[in-house]
Amino acid sequence: MNLDDIYNWILGHSQNYPGKHQESQPRTIPSYKPLEAKAQFHIVIKATAEYIKEKMVNGNGVNMKELGAFTMEVNSDYVKPLQHSGFNMTQDLGIQRAERKHIHQIRPCFVPDCSFQYFLARYPGKEEITKPLSQHSIYQKGFGMNFCNPGPIAASCYLGKDVVQSIHNSLIKAIHDLTRLGHNLNIDFGFIKINIQNRDLKYKYEQSFINRLNQTDYELKMRQSDLATSQHWTTTYQEKWSKSTLNNLLTRPNPGQVQDNYERSMALKIMSLDLNTAEKTDYSKKQKVQLPALNK
């Protein structure tokens, strides 16, 4: 079963998966018309995959509650002592940092949640990644972990936040139930494919996505002192949102054209209403109406 089959399973068992995802919900922008229930699943899960992908490229992991954590393992070689590393005090620090990019090797991972592991017979264990010593929380399963925030996803899909949260909860619950029932699942998020065969979970990241992670300067991203605190708090949310890939996931329609189409549809509705409610008369039967001739 792929994602499309899982959507059909959820919509076909509304008594087991109740929520706003079962019906078409209004959009937050009037220019966009409401989607069908299945189309809402497609657009929300696509935006969720883009959200996770963007966070991982920026050096952070994402933890979806009761599903698992999309994170990465950062392997670094041993740092040589200063007198043997050839460190040049006169050379620019950025140039020397660029020469040491080969030291960091990024390996993306997927760590299933404890509630998901209960339904699996075999899966990559939590010992697959090395937990940093500075992280004391049991929910911290990688570097810079963030919980999956439905707010930016809802803003990119022009749907309510509660609708996105309802779709996430129903999808995760359906994955649990189908795994428990012994179904084989093929969950394709685009940048990662999660395959469950006979309750055996395996995953594979796209090679292009792995190459993009390895090209990222993680040594620069992990340094907390590179971005000043004053600059962090003065950066507005609009500036951060304008640089996000989620902002360009859906193109906004022309508001003038949308308004014209709306007025035409309303005019047609009024005309049909007048014709349906008009009083029936025998005027056309008693009198002949001379119509003007058409110029050919």
Side-chain angles (χ1 to χ4, degrees):
M1 298 179 65
N2 53 20
L3 281 175
D4 196 70
D5 297 330
I6 298 177
Y7 303 156
N8 293 332
W9 172 275
I10 295 174
L11 297 176
H13 298 79
S14 58
Q15 67 277 6
N16 297 331
Y17 310 98
K20 291 188 174 182
H21 58 273
Q22 293 290 345
E23 298 178 356
S24 178
Q25 300 296 329
R27 313 294 288 276
T28 55
I29 295 182
S31 302
Y32 285 91
K33 301 303 178 183
L35 299 173
E36 295 181 355
K38 187 176 180 180
Q40 291 179 157
F41 273 91
H42 281 282
I43 188 174
V44 168
I45 299 305
K46 180 181 179 181
T48 303
E50 290 293 331
Y51 172 81
I52 299 174
K53 184 178 179 181
E54 179 180 336
K55 289 294 183 181
M56 294 187 68
V57 170
N58 292 332
N60 298 322
V62 178
N63 190 350
M64 291 191 70
K65 186 179 179 181
E66 297 184 357
L67 179 62
F70 300 85
T71 180
M72 74 270 313
E73 171 76 335
V74 182
N75 296 326
S76 301
D77 295 339
Y78 290 104
V79 181
K80 296 180 180 180
L82 182 60
Q83 61 270 20
H84 300 294
S85 62
F87 184 77
N88 188 1
M89 297 292 294
T90 60
Q91 194 176 13
D92 184 66
L93 181 61
I95 298 176
Q96 299 186 53
R97 188 177 291 159
E99 295 175 353
R100 297 175 63 251
K101 280 187 177 181
H102 65 280
I103 293 179
H104 300 293
Q105 297 178 356
I106 309 302
R107 184 175 67 90
C109 308
F110 173 73
V111 184
D113 192 81
C114 297
S115 59
F116 190 24
Q117 293 176 4
Y118 180 79
F119 303 105
L120 296 172
R122 291 169 297 277
Y123 54 88
K126 63 180 180 180
E127 293 82 7
E128 182 184 3
I129 65 175
T130 302
K131 184 177 179 181
L133 298 178
S134 60
Q135 299 171 357
H136 304 285
S137 174
I138 60 176
Y139 301 102
Q140 196 79 13
K141 299 180 180 180
F143 290 89
M145 293 299 299
N146 298 321
F147 281 100
C148 187
N149 186 6
I153 300 173
S156 64
C157 299
Y158 305 119
L159 289 169
K161 182 179 177 181
D162 51 350
V163 179
V164 175
Q165 191 65 53
S166 178
I167 291 177
H168 285 175
N169 295 337
S170 62
L171 178 64
I172 295 173
K173 189 176 184 298
I175 293 175
H176 289 187
D177 295 341
L178 293 173
T179 303
R180 176 175 54 85
L181 295 174
H183 290 271
N184 297 331
L185 305 180
N186 184 18
I187 306 172
D188 187 1
F189 285 115
F191 68 99
I192 179 178
K193 295 181 179 179
I194 302 175
N195 191 10
I196 303 175
Q197 297 286 339
N198 297 325
R199 301 177 65 186
D200 182 10
L201 185 144
K202 296 180 181 179
Y203 65 88
K204 182 180 180 181
Y205 282 88
E206 292 292 335
Q207 187 61 39
S208 59
F209 179 69
I210 298 176
N211 296 336
R212 186 178 178 184
L213 288 179
N214 289 325
Q215 293 174 359
T216 307
D217 192 356
Y218 276 90
E219 184 179 1
L220 180 64
K221 289 182 178 298
M222 290 181 180
R223 288 171 52 88
Q224 299 294 331
S225 59
D226 287 331
L227 184 63
T229 306
S230 58
Q231 183 180 355
H232 173 77
W233 292 110
T234 54
T235 304
T236 62
Y237 181 77
Q238 288 77 8
E239 295 176 357
K240 297 179 182 178
W241 178 251
S242 62
K243 300 178 182 178
S244 175
T245 57
L246 292 175
N247 187 28
N248 301 324
L249 186 63
L250 293 178
T251 57
R252 293 176 179 267
N254 187 0
Q257 183 178 1
V258 171
Q259 184 66 22
D260 292 341
N261 295 336
Y262 176 75
E263 292 178 356
R264 290 176 182 176
S265 61
M266 291 298 297
L268 291 174
K269 290 181 180 180
I270 295 174
M271 291 173 61
S272 62
L273 182 63
D274 291 340
L275 293 176
N276 291 331
T277 58
E279 184 181 358
K280 185 178 180 180
T281 61
D282 296 333
Y283 181 79
S284 59
K285 295 181 180 180
K286 296 179 181 179
Q287 249 179 340
K288 291 185 178 180
V289 181
Q290 297 293 335
L291 297 177
L294 296 177
N295 297 326
K296 297 183 178 180

